[in-house]
Amino acid sequence: MRQKENGMLLRVLLLLGLSTLAWIAPALAEWSVVGDGYLYYTDEVALFSAVRRSTMDGDPTQPVLDVSRTGVGSDMVFEPGALISNAITTGLGRTAFSIKPQGFIYAVNPAWNQASVAAEVLHSFTPNTALRLRYFTAPDQLLGTTEKHVEETESFVNERVTSHIGYIRFEQRLSDHWEFRLQGRIGKRLYNDPFAQRNTTFWTIGPHIFWRATDHLKLFVGYHYERGLAGGRKEFEAEEDFSYVNHFFAVGFDAELMPRLELEVDFHYERNNFTSGIPEDERNGGA
């Protein structure tokens, strides 16, 4: 009798699963794809590569750029991108799915070419309350040539990093004019073999506040606190410790000048305090 009941239960669950898939499949089939492209000019390739995602909603605390890596020169940069998205509505609210591949193509310095992809789920419990989840990765990003000491010899080696970052953000509309967001991140930056001691695990938390002053003007302010711990900090023979505490502050406004023309102005301030305790480390006590 028990075996028969289990068989009936399995068939019921299977039918429920098939019914659910049949209900979701038509909605998931209606994906939309929007492409875009931007053209930039920069007089410093290395600096542009390091700060291109330095926005409150991006990756503002990217790997530290040593001054010695600059001096690459000027370039034209093309940024192609696409947004692949869909949404479904259930009794629990509306859920939007999106995938955003992005690239940066350098005309004169192709070694700095970079690609990334972000996958996101935004679930709106109500029109005023939402939860956003995102995974972002940027593989094999060139940071430039860095001095490397090996057995009392010095050489310059290309330094590269792969970033894996998970986001979670709670979004709450308080009124017609005010919105509050609380964002957290956790991630890893994995460096190529010559710099493996710099592999870093980090976490971030910070609030964002938006004020819609008028129908055509929105002001915002945000702050992030981030703690990064380098893998080499516990190595007995380590000569450097990339661990840090980072403070990021952003303020700005978004103005709609006309129906198809907007102006956004941001001011960012970032301070990176290294926490190395290695006496010989040049970052000991540095910022």
Side-chain angles (χ1 to χ4, degrees), residues 4-258:
K4 184 176 180 181
E5 290 178 355
N6 289 343
M8 292 179 62
L9 179 60
L10 180 61
R11 285 194 292 273
V12 170
L13 291 175
L14 182 60
L15 288 172
L16 286 175
L18 291 174
S19 299
T20 302
L21 289 174
W23 172 62
I24 292 177
L28 291 179
E30 298 174 0
W31 289 90
S32 66
V33 180
V34 178
D36 57 24
Y38 301 91
L39 189 64
Y40 305 93
Y41 168 80
T42 176
D43 61 357
E44 181 45 63
V45 169
L47 185 61
F48 178 86
S49 177
V51 304
R52 66 186 186 275
R53 295 190 181 94
S54 184
T55 63
M56 193 167 66
D57 190 44
D59 186 15
T61 51
Q62 293 188 70
V64 176
L65 180 67
D66 291 340
V67 176
S68 60
R69 298 180 193 150
T70 59
V72 177
S74 60
D75 209 332
M76 297 293 295
V77 186
F78 175 59
E79 178 194 349
L83 181 64
I84 307 165
S85 60
N86 196 4
I88 61 173
T89 301
T90 68
L92 299 176
R94 186 175 186 273
T95 305
F97 307 88
S98 66
I99 302 173
K100 185 177 182 180
Q102 185 182 32
F104 291 87
I105 301 173
Y106 293 75
V108 181
N109 300 274
W112 291 82
N113 290 352
Q114 177 62 45
S116 66
V117 63
E120 184 174 283
V121 177
L122 173 63
H123 181 74
S124 300
F125 299 94
T126 70
N128 295 326
T129 305
L131 185 67
R132 188 182 302 266
L133 303 174
R134 182 190 305 162
Y135 167 72
F136 171 84
T137 182
D140 206 31
Q141 177 187 352
L142 177 63
L143 299 178
T145 56
T146 301
E147 188 176 5
K148 181 68 176 176
H149 299 268
V150 180
E151 297 180 354
E152 298 183 356
T153 61
E154 299 179 359
S155 61
F156 284 87
V157 182
N158 277 346
E159 182 179 3
R160 294 180 176 272
V161 64
T162 295
S163 299
H164 299 281
I165 306 173
Y167 293 73
I168 182 169
R169 189 167 75 201
F170 173 74
E171 305 177 0
Q172 178 66 49
R173 184 180 299 171
L174 303 175
S175 68
D176 292 339
H177 299 281
W178 291 93
E179 181 179 349
F180 172 77
R181 301 176 182 176
L182 181 63
Q183 176 170 296
R185 306 194 311 163
I186 186 169
K188 292 188 73 70
R189 301 197 194 277
L190 304 175
Y191 292 78
N192 52 334
D193 288 343
F195 306 97
Q197 74 278 6
R198 299 182 178 182
N199 290 348
T200 304
T201 301
F202 64 92
W203 58 269
T204 316
I205 190 167
H208 305 166
I209 299 175
F210 294 80
W211 175 42
R212 182 169 292 280
T214 70
D215 291 340
H216 305 288
L217 177 63
K218 181 168 64 176
L219 295 89
F220 59 87
V221 61
Y223 167 76
H224 291 168
Y225 173 90
E226 181 168 301
R227 180 65 166 122
L229 296 173
R233 72 189 187 281
K234 295 183 179 179
E235 294 181 7
F236 179 74
E237 298 180 354
E239 298 179 354
E240 63 177 16
D241 180 2
F242 256 45
S243 302
Y244 63 88
V245 170
N246 183 278
H247 301 277
F248 176 83
F249 177 78
V251 63
F253 68 86
D254 187 352
E256 182 181 351
L257 304 181
M258 56 182 65

